[in-house]
Amino acid sequence: MPDLRARYARLAAEVHQPAHEGSMPVWIGARRCGMAAPAARAALAGLDGVREDGTGLRIGDDLPAGAARNALLARVADTLRDAGCLRGWRGELLDVAAADGHRLGAIERAATRPLGLLTFAVHLNAWTPDNALWIARRALTKSTDPGLWDTLVGGLSGSCETLEDSLLRECGEEAGLDPPDLVCRSPLRTILRFQRQLAGEGMQVEDILVSTCVLAADARPENRDGEVMEIRHVPVATALAMLDAGEFTDEAAAVILEDMLYRAGGGLP
């Protein structure tokens, strides 16, 4: 147990980093919601509806939440893409949230990191009845961490989705699990906030949430969306060895370590 706590504490410290030098706070309306990387600031200079002042990069000062603000956020994303600031284009909208979680609008997923916007990642960490851990290997076509191992289910919450709905959607897409397969799981809990620099991309500012689940002995998770290349279960000792060897994403490593502590402390048996 002390070793697990120490590993988790080290990882939590490693993923709490300051913004890149030259970054600037992002404001939408009257609320602060991100940190714009220097390249994003340069790309957005002169864009109608965006300005810099002594407090930061301000987007849509005079626009209330709604269609007009979202249209401006779409132009912001297009401008960042045209300037080469985005890593791919997902065609998925995520909510733009203030630090307190208040929804400010919606923006293309790929634009969140150049602007250092808060996102929410939901994970299902699943176990067999005899205490083996289900894990999934990311497809080689993934733009982030291709080929690394992950929790059985993990993904970002989409715009206008509840966190629970996001988790259920991801369970179906990534592991072929439907609500009847998930009756033995804990409520989602927030474990930590990743805040780290990503070279050439900006900042990942992401709340990591997890639900712990014990799947039935005859469960056979199967990927449906093509984003996973392999699913299997491994003993705890094997999972820890893989973690130490760097075979998991940092997010998965945090979820797995926290979940082992959670179960040892009286969570799901």
Side-chain angles (χ1 to χ4, degrees), residues 54-94:
T55 66
L57 180 73
R58 307 195 71 97
I59 299 174
D61 277 344
D62 57 347
L63 296 177
R69 179 185 286 176
N70 285 338
L72 175 57
L73 290 171
R75 292 196 297 276
V76 165
D78 287 340
T79 302
L80 293 173
R81 176 182 57 186
D82 293 344
C85 294
L86 304 189
R87 187 173 182 177
W89 184 272
R90 298 296 298 264
E92 300 174 22
L93 292 178
L94 302 186

Side-chain angles (χ1 to χ4, degrees), residues 25-50:
V26 175
W27 295 78
I28 295 180
R31 290 178 178 264
R32 180 171 169 171
C33 59
M35 286 291 290
R41 292 177 56 195
L44 296 173
L47 181 66
D48 188 35
V50 179

Side-chain angles (χ1 to χ4, degrees), residues 60 100 106 130 178:
D100 61 2
D130 58 354
D178 298 315

Side-chain angles (χ1 to χ4, degrees), residues 245-263:
E247 297 183 40
F248 283 100
T249 68
D250 287 342
E251 293 90 338
V255 168
I256 290 167
L257 289 171
E258 190 276 345
D259 201 32
M260 289 179 179
L261 292 167
Y262 170 79
R263 285 163 57 85

